[in-house]
């Protein structure tokens, strides 16, 4: 006959305590027992036999509930919520039954093992969610809760594979079968995610300590595994929780035999710290609770120190300090000397950069009388302002948002946080109190909000590498042996806080940092659109944050952004748009055999639809203003007054990723055409600065755009050659040579010239053997087709001579250079710059061969000619 389990359920008082000042309440885990779960092999039940001696003034309770998954006795069909509800009701009833006057407000410290921690979190959330104007017994519990000590509770296992793996491991300890609780915690359940979110809302003033197991636990089949490792044993969104390892497995983590046990001493030390601080903290909790309950009843109560129409966004436990921004906030909002104007500061930047977290962190550290305003709309601002003044007391029950502004104008020491003031149509002036005795802090994606604090605004941009790596490791809950993979990841993500948070969350679940980049590159759009882990203080994904700004842009601005997504993300010259529009976006022909193709008409028409047929400064600036309002584009000015734009690389990726292949090609070709419209041959002596500005943007185009047509490739090659981008040139020269060879054959002058260009590129890339081979072939064909004395032939001869010199074949190099010099003198004359240059080149080879006297003589002659031709102060002289 099966044994009845009822006598082991509910609360058991292990120690009444002498004039108790604290309640210590324990709740066991899956397949646990209110006594046996805490009892060591030698029969020591530490809560009763050890803890009661260390804390004689503590009442110690243990709670039993039916979480048995394998019993042949009555099997419970209770869900987690029902267990939590029963636990909270039983505890409330037990505390109210105590004779002491202080019983209801006595501090509570909870000790929870494994699944018991999940039940406890749900119970505390249930207590927290009771209304202030309802009967108060359950709110008494959350108000009196001082701390929670979690032992091996799987907080991080609140989704997908992690949860399924945890359940598999846990069940393997007990050889158990599924009951209602296990079904509620299966892979597809959202139960743990929901509990996590509810608990985070209710635990703001609760101290938390996470104890996790160091050793694997024996399971079925003679194996052993760590059931709840560190990354699962912590609550990601708990900003104040402490994490402690115990030298035990999942079962022995809550079983101690003697006072001297190292694990027991750790637990006791933390308990002493909590008990000593408990009375003052709980008194403060009750002071607040009494005020809130009075407000709910419509009673007149003293103004609370913190006016909270809604709570300040909690700072993530993974928050990474941004010292330069926080110092700036302190300087502007906490000035050393009195000011004549209201202290204001605006934090602006692209979504996902961490603006709200920075503001909340600074406020937590420096201010405590705050009014938090959701500035997402006028209606929400007015509702929050109205709630703020009505929360002071019943005498303000009919007040409006305007009364709040007037009230604060006569008060001191307040700070208003207008969070997410992103709308370009939003005006804040009406909501700002007229007082120098308070301060205003605004967070916004809209750069125009800078006008509220012209001298006190700061942009939140990329993290530093150190900050980014720190954030990644905190979120992923790992410390890799090498930071190489971490650096590669954060660099790929452009040091963007939210993107790194998402990456860390993915690594947290996969436990593989080494494979993340390859996964990211294959599935970037999917990964950047997935929300982060629950409880990370970030609602939504990186791409969702970008969408909020991009979606507000007018159609032409969106089209311009899609084109810019195919340029390099930084240093986009403003003059690029003006020059190209002025030229009609027409490509220049660098070879008469290859005029611009008719296919250019489509991208030209596309560009004209956006930028117009004629340049209009005002219309263009309106486009840029609409883009910069959402912080999607930044502007900088160099020392010469030239304006440049930049986009975050992830913004470009966000724009490109969802494009169809057809649209991808369309916008890429338009970006290429925009560049082609500005590429022209440089005149003699003209600076190559413009070509250097274009080089990185050409390199960012898809290869198929750079090689779409020989006319385009030749234009891009001209820029690369001028800017000295030899690495990029080989791709272009290979293409041109192969196309010319295909069209004209090997003996055509265009093919020979193209082969010579490729040889020169190989030379400049240090591929000297390949360069020499091509140059000999080019010289042979040039002599045959053009003759020995043709200027092009002489140039090819000189190129080969330079390559031979660099390869150490100095004797042949000298011979060729002498021949080149003779031909230059004959064809161009003694004083032509090319002749002088050739003379200097020969002198260099002679010096290398040790023929110093002749080399010196030639160098002297070169110097005299340069002074005569170029002047004493010319750079070449």
């Amino acid at each position: 006959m099966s044994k009845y389990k009822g006598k082991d359920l509910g609360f058991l008082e292990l120690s009444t305590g002498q004039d108790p000042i604290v309640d210590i309440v324990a709740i066991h885990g899956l397949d646990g027992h209110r006594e046996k779960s805490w009892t060591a092999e030698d029969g020591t039940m530490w809560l009763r036999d050890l803890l009661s001696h260390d804390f004689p003034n503590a009442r110690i309770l243990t709670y039993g509930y039916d979480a048995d998954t394998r019993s042949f006795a009555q099997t419970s069909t209770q869900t987690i919520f029902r267990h939590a509800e029963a636990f909270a009701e039983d505890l409330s009833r037990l505390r109210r039954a105590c004779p002491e006057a202080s019983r209801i407000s006595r501090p509570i410290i909870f000790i929870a093992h494994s699944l018991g921690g999940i039940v406890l979190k749900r119970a505390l959330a249930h207590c927290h969610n009771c209304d202030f104007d309802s009967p108060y017994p359950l709110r008494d519990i959350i108000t009196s809760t001082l701390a929670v000590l979690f032992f091996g509770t799987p907080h991080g296992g609140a989704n997908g594979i992690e949860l399924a793996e945890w359940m598999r491991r846990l069940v393997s300890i007990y050889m158990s079968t599924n009951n209602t609780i296990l079904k509620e915690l299966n892979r597809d359940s959202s139960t743990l995610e929901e509990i996590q979110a509810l608990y985070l809302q209710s635990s703001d003033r609760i101290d938390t300590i996470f104890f996790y197991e160091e050793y694997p636990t024996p399971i079925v089949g003679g194996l052993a595994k760590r059931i709840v490792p560190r990354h699962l044993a912590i609550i990601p969104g708990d900003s104040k929780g402490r994490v402690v390892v115990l030298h035990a497995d999942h079962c022995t983590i809550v079983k101690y035999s003697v006072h001297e046990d190292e694990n027991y001493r750790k637990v006791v030390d933390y308990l002493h710290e909590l008990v000593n601080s408990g009375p003052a903290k709980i008194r403060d909790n009750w002071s607040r609770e009494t005020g809130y309950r009075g407000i709910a009843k419509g009673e007149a109560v003293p103004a609370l120190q913190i006016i909270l129409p809604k709570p300040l966004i909690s700072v993530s436990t993974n928050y990474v300090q941004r010292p330069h921004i926080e110092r700036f906030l302190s300087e502007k909002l906490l000035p050393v000397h009195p000011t004549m104007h209201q202290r204001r500061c605006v934090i602006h930047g692209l979504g996902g950069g961490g603006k709200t977290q920075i503001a909340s962190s600074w406020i937590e550290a420096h201010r405590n009388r705050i009014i938090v305003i959701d500035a997402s709309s006028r209606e929400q601002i007015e509702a929050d302002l109205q709630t703020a003044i009505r929360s002071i007391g019943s005498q303000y029950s009919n007040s409006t948002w305007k009364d709040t502004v007037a009230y604060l104008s006569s008060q001191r020491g307040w700070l208003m946080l207008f969070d997410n003031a992103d709308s370009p149509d939003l005006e804040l002036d009406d909501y700002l109190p007229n007082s120098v005795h308070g301060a205003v802090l605004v967070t916004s994606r809209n750069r125009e909000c800078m006008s509220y604090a012209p001298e006190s605004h700061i942009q939140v941009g990329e993290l530093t590498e150190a900050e980014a790596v720190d954030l990644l490791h905190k979120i992923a809950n790992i410390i890799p042996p090498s930071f190489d993979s971490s650096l590669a990841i954060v660099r790929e993500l452009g040091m963007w806080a939210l993107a790194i948070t998402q990456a860390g969350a993915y690594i947290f679940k996969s436990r593989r940092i080494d494979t993340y980049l390859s996964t990211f590159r294959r599935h970037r759009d999917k990964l950047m659109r997935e929300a982060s882990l629950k409880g990370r203080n970030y609602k939504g994904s990186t791409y969702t944050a970008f969408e909020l700004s991009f979606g507000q842009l007018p159609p032409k601005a969106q089209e311009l952004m899609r084109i810019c997504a195919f340029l390099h993300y930084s240093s986009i010259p403003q003059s690029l748009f003006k020059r190209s529009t002025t030229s009609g976006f027409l490509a220049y022909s660098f070879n008469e055999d290859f005029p611009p193709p008719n296919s250019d008409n489509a991208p030209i028409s596309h560009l004209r639809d956006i930028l117009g047929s004629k340049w209009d400064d005002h219309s263009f600036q309106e486009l840029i203003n609409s883009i910069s309002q959402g912080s999607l584009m930044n502007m900088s000015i160099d020392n010469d007054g030239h304006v440049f734009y930049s986009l975050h690389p992830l913004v470009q990726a966000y724009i490109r990723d969802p494009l169809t292949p057809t649209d991808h090609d369309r916008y890429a070709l338009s970006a290429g055409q925009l560049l082609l419209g500005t590429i022209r041959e440089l005149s003699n002596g003209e600076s190559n600065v413009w070509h250097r500005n274009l080089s990185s943007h050409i390199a960012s185009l898809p290869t198929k755009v750079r090689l779409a047509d020989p006319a385009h490739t030749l234009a891009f090659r001209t820029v690369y050659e001028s800017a000295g981008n030899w690495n990029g040139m080989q791709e272009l020269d290979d293409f041109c040579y192969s196309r010319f060879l295909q069209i004209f054959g090997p003996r055509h002058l265009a093919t020979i010239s193209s082969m010579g260009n490729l040889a020169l590129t190989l030379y400049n890339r240090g591929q000297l053997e390949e360069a020499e081979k091509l140059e000999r072939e080019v010289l042979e064909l040039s002599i045959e087709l053009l003759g020995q004395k043709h200027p092009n032939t002489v140039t090819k001869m000189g190129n080969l001579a330079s390559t031979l010199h660099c390869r150490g074949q100095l004797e042949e190099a000298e011979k060729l250079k002498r021949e080149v010099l003779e031909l230059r003198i004959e064809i161009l004359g003694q004083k032509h710059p090319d002749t002088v240059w050739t003379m200097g080149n020969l002198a260099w080879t002679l010096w290398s061969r040790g023929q110093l006297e002749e080399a010196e003589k030639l160098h002297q002659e070169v110097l005299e000619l340069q002074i005569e031709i170029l002047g004493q102060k010319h750079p070449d002289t």
Side-chain angles (χ1 to χ4, degrees):
M1 183 174 177
S2 61
K3 185 178 178 181
Y4 177 63
K5 298 187 289 185
K7 71 182 187 68
D8 295 323
L9 304 181
F11 278 100
L12 173 66
E13 187 175 76
L14 301 175
S15 174
T16 57
Q18 303 169 11
D19 299 323
I21 61 171
V22 65
D23 283 352
I24 298 177
V25 181
I27 178 170
H28 63 75
L30 192 68
D31 277 0
H33 184 275
R34 66 182 184 181
E35 292 181 85
K36 295 176 184 177
S37 292
W38 315 96
T39 302
E41 289 184 0
D42 65 357
T44 302
M45 202 280 194
W46 68 279
L47 295 172
R48 178 190 59 223
D49 303 330
L50 304 181
L51 201 62
S52 60
H53 293 284
D54 284 307
F55 295 92
N57 297 113
R59 183 170 68 149
I60 303 174
L61 306 168
T62 182
Y63 184 74
Y65 62 103
D66 186 3
D68 197 341
T69 64
R70 58 189 172 129
S71 173
F72 291 105
Q74 297 91 342
T75 301
S76 170
T77 58
Q78 294 276 64
T79 64
I80 288 179
F81 175 72
R82 295 304 177 195
H83 282 302
E85 190 179 48
F87 172 76
E89 294 285 356
D90 288 354
L91 180 58
S92 175
R93 188 165 47 252
L94 186 65
R95 280 168 64 86
R96 282 183 282 121
C98 290
E100 302 95 325
S102 63
R103 65 194 184 282
I104 294 176
S105 60
R106 183 187 300 152
I108 307 171
I109 297 175
F110 290 103
I111 293 176
H113 178 227
S114 193
L115 177 70
I118 298 173
V119 175
L120 174 63
K121 287 194 294 183
R122 187 64 184 85
L124 292 175
H126 176 54
C127 295
H128 174 76
N129 288 339
C130 291
D131 294 334
F132 289 112
D133 56 356
S134 64
Y136 301 126
L138 293 185
R139 285 205 60 86
D140 293 348
I141 292 176
I142 191 69
T143 306
S144 296
T145 298
L146 174 64
V148 178
L149 278 61
F150 291 108
F151 291 79
T153 295
H155 308 288
N159 46 43
I161 295 171
E162 289 283 345
L163 172 59
E165 173 65 11
W166 170 73
M167 290 305 305
R168 185 184 64 75
R169 292 177 182 176
L170 197 57
V171 168
S172 68
I173 302 178
Y174 303 108
M175 300 176 63
S176 54
T177 57
N178 286 347
N179 70 349
T180 305
I181 288 180
L182 294 186
K183 290 175 183 176
E184 192 174 7
L185 295 177
N186 67 23
R187 176 172 179 159
D188 298 320
S189 171
S190 61
T191 300
L192 289 188
E193 295 185 3
E194 179 185 354
I195 292 173
Q196 188 86 306
L198 290 171
Y199 178 72
L200 284 170
Q201 296 171 14
S202 61
S203 61
D204 182 52
R205 300 186 60 77
I206 298 175
D207 286 327
T208 308
I209 302 176
F210 304 106
F211 293 101
Y212 70 96
E213 62 220 47
E214 181 180 22
Y215 303 136
T217 302
I219 60 176
V220 225
L223 301 175
K225 288 189 177 181
R226 270 185 292 188
I227 307 303
V228 185
R230 185 185 190 278
H231 70 276
L232 293 180
I234 63 174
I235 297 178
D238 192 311
S239 60
K240 303 184 181 73
R242 289 175 281 182
V243 184
V244 182
V245 62
L246 294 181
H247 311 301
D249 61 28
H250 188 72
C251 297
T252 60
I253 197 173
V254 288
K255 295 180 179 180
Y256 320 120
S257 299
V258 294
H259 287 279
E260 293 74 26
D261 185 301
E262 182 182 350
N263 290 337
Y264 176 73
R265 293 314 316 166
K266 282 186 182 180
V267 174
V268 167
D269 287 344
Y270 282 110
L271 283 172
H272 274 301
E273 176 188 328
L274 293 167
V275 170
N276 290 337
S277 65
K281 182 172 181 178
I282 297 305
R283 277 195 302 272
D284 184 52
N285 282 1
W286 273 101
S287 174
R288 294 166 181 270
E289 181 72 10
T290 301
Y292 290 134
R293 291 180 184 183
I295 291 170
K297 290 179 179 179
E299 298 172 354
V301 296
L304 300 177
Q305 183 183 24
I306 299 182
I307 305 170
L308 284 176
K310 55 166 50 70
L312 183 68
I313 297 295
S314 60
V315 181
S316 170
T317 186
N318 304 302
Y319 174 72
V320 173
Q321 297 291 328
R322 311 282 283 271
H324 71 289
I325 300 179
E326 293 174 14
R327 282 195 300 270
F328 181 86
L329 294 179
S330 296
E331 176 187 334
K332 300 302 180 182
L333 296 176
L334 299 174
V336 177
H337 304 291
T339 60
M340 299 289 292
H341 306 285
Q342 187 179 79
R343 288 158 287 152
R344 296 180 185 176
C345 195
V346 174
I347 305 174
H348 62 91
L350 183 62
K355 299 181 293 296
T356 298
Q357 284 284 291
I358 291 169
S360 296
S361 174
W362 185 87
I363 289 170
E364 280 194 0
H366 297 92
R367 307 293 294 226
N368 62 2
R369 191 167 186 237
I370 63 168
I371 304 95
V372 179
I373 306 297
D374 178 352
S376 56
S377 68
R378 292 183 66 92
E379 293 76 15
Q380 190 61 54
I381 291 173
E382 291 171 8
D384 287 351
L385 285 171
Q386 179 172 285
T387 303
I389 194 165
R390 291 184 180 186
S391 69
I392 298 176
S394 58
Q395 66 270 37
Y396 297 101
S397 59
N398 295 318
S399 298
T400 68
W401 67 267
K402 293 181 180 180
D403 296 314
T404 303
V405 177
Y407 175 82
L408 291 174
S409 296
S410 64
Q411 300 294 307
R412 292 175 175 268
W414 50 264
L415 171 70
M416 293 182 77
L417 170 62
F418 288 89
D419 194 27
N420 296 322
D422 302 327
S423 172
D425 301 321
L426 184 65
E427 295 286 346
L428 294 180
D429 294 297
D430 291 342
Y431 307 118
L432 302 177
N434 183 21
S435 171
V436 298
H437 302 302
V440 174
L441 178 59
V442 179
T443 70
S444 178
R445 302 166 193 244
N446 187 355
R447 286 176 55 88
E448 291 189 354
C449 279
M450 296 186 300
S451 62
Y452 295 114
E455 297 179 357
S456 304
H457 56 80
I458 188 167
Q459 181 174 1
V460 175
E462 295 87 351
L463 298 163
T464 65
E465 282 194 352
E467 291 168 347
V469 169
D470 187 22
L471 177 61
L472 180 70
H473 291 170
K474 282 186 174 182
I475 298 288
N477 196 27
I478 59 170
I479 302 178
S482 168
F483 282 14
D484 292 346
S485 294
S486 305
L487 281 169
I489 290 169
V490 299
R491 287 168 181 166
E492 181 101 358
L493 297 175
M495 311 295 170
W496 202 247
L498 183 49
I500 293 167
T501 297
Q502 287 185 263
Y506 185 91
I507 295 165
F508 176 84
K509 290 183 283 188
S510 69
R511 310 313 300 159
R512 293 292 302 275
I513 195 171
D514 56 321
T515 59
Y516 178 78
L517 266 187
S518 60
T519 303
F520 174 79
R521 288 166 181 165
R522 291 195 308 272
H523 306 288
R524 180 177 59 200
D525 186 57
K526 183 175 185 295
L527 292 178
M528 289 291 96
R529 291 186 186 279
E530 289 180 346
S532 186
L533 284 180
K534 304 295 183 184
R536 293 291 187 183
N537 296 85
Y538 292 99
K539 301 175 183 177
S541 68
T542 301
Y543 279 7
T544 300
F546 295 164
E547 179 65 37
L548 293 173
S549 296
F550 190 80
Q552 293 180 347
L553 296 180
K556 283 188 177 181
Q558 290 188 358
E559 287 293 279
L560 182 61
M561 286 289 287
R562 291 187 180 105
I563 290 173
C564 290
F566 290 90
L567 302 175
H568 192 270
Y569 63 87
S570 68
S571 300
I572 303 172
Q574 184 188 66
S575 53
L576 168 66
F577 305 97
K578 182 175 182 178
R579 287 190 183 205
S580 197
T581 303
T582 303
S583 74
F585 309 106
L586 296 171
Y588 178 78
S589 178
F590 285 85
N591 186 313
E592 61 183 14
D593 293 318
F594 293 100
N598 292 332
S599 57
D600 284 2
N601 292 335
I604 288 173
S605 176
H606 186 204
L607 289 167
R608 286 175 177 169
D609 287 342
I610 301 168
L611 297 171
S613 300
K614 295 182 179 180
W615 178 251
D616 185 331
D617 284 300
H618 178 70
S619 297
F620 179 74
Q621 194 57 50
E622 283 188 334
L623 278 179
I624 295 299
N625 289 345
S626 64
I627 295 170
S628 62
Q629 273 183 342
S631 296
L632 289 166
M633 181 179 281
N634 294 318
M635 182 184 76
S636 61
I637 302 175
D638 69 10
N639 293 333
D640 297 320
H642 299 130
V643 176
F644 293 87
Y645 304 115
S646 63
L647 296 77
H648 194 278
L650 281 181
V651 170
Q652 291 184 306
Y654 153 76
I655 294 170
R656 291 194 306 264
D657 285 347
L659 295 176
T660 65
T662 300
D663 282 340
H664 187 281
D665 290 348
R666 178 173 179 246
Y667 290 107
L669 286 169
S670 292
Q673 196 69 42
L674 180 70
L675 294 166
L676 287 166
T678 71
I679 299 173
R680 300 292 184 266
E681 286 186 309
L682 298 179
S683 58
N684 287 335
E686 185 180 354
S687 169
N688 70 343
V689 169
W690 179 247
H691 283 177
R692 283 192 281 113
N693 286 339
L694 296 183
S695 180
S696 63
H697 300 296
I698 294 170
S700 296
L701 295 172
T703 299
K704 64 189 297 185
V705 174
R706 288 194 298 272
L707 307 182
D709 186 89
H712 298 166
T713 305
L714 288 169
F716 293 144
R717 187 194 182 281
T718 299
V719 173
Y720 275 3
E721 183 176 30
S722 173
N725 183 359
W726 301 106
N727 290 332
M729 287 244 314
Q730 184 168 354
E731 170 195 67
L732 307 185
D733 284 336
D734 280 335
F735 171 78
C736 289
Y737 175 54
S738 64
R739 287 297 300 273
F740 288 12
L741 187 63
Q742 178 185 3
I743 296 170
F744 301 118
R747 299 172 61 79
H748 193 279
L749 291 178
T751 306
I752 297 170
S753 176
S754 179
M755 188 191 303
N757 289 339
L758 177 58
L760 181 62
T761 297
L762 292 171
Y763 169 84
N764 282 288
R765 294 194 67 198
Q767 297 171 238
L768 301 179
E769 184 176 355
E770 297 171 60
E772 179 190 344
K773 181 179 177 182
L774 281 178
E775 284 169 347
R776 288 188 184 278
E777 188 174 351
V778 167
L779 179 58
E780 183 180 334
L781 287 167
S782 295
I783 292 172
E784 180 183 344
L785 297 175
L786 298 174
Q788 179 84 17
K789 297 184 178 182
H790 192 280
N792 287 350
T793 304
V794 178
T795 298
K796 300 300 185 290
M797 190 183 298
N799 289 345
L800 174 59
S802 294
T803 300
L804 292 170
H805 179 113
C806 291
R807 295 201 69 200
Q809 300 174 32
L810 299 179
E811 184 176 354
E812 186 178 1
E814 179 189 343
K815 181 181 177 182
L816 273 179
K817 287 184 178 183
R818 288 187 184 279
E819 189 173 351
V820 169
L821 180 58
E822 289 174 5
L823 289 167
R824 293 282 195 210
I825 293 171
E826 179 182 347
I827 298 168
L828 302 174
Q830 180 82 23
K831 297 183 179 182
H832 192 279
D834 287 350
T835 305
V836 178
W837 182 88
T838 303
M839 192 181 297
N841 210 1
L842 173 59
W844 172 46
T845 299
L846 292 171
W847 181 86
S848 298
R849 294 198 68 195
Q851 301 175 29
L852 303 183
E853 185 175 346
E854 187 177 0
E856 181 184 355
K857 181 180 177 182
L858 271 180
H859 277 308
Q860 185 66 38
E861 190 174 350
V862 166
L863 179 59
E864 291 173 358
L865 287 168
Q866 284 179 327
I867 292 172
E868 180 183 348
I869 299 168
L870 302 174
Q872 181 82 31
K873 297 184 178 181
H874 191 278
D876 289 345
T877 306

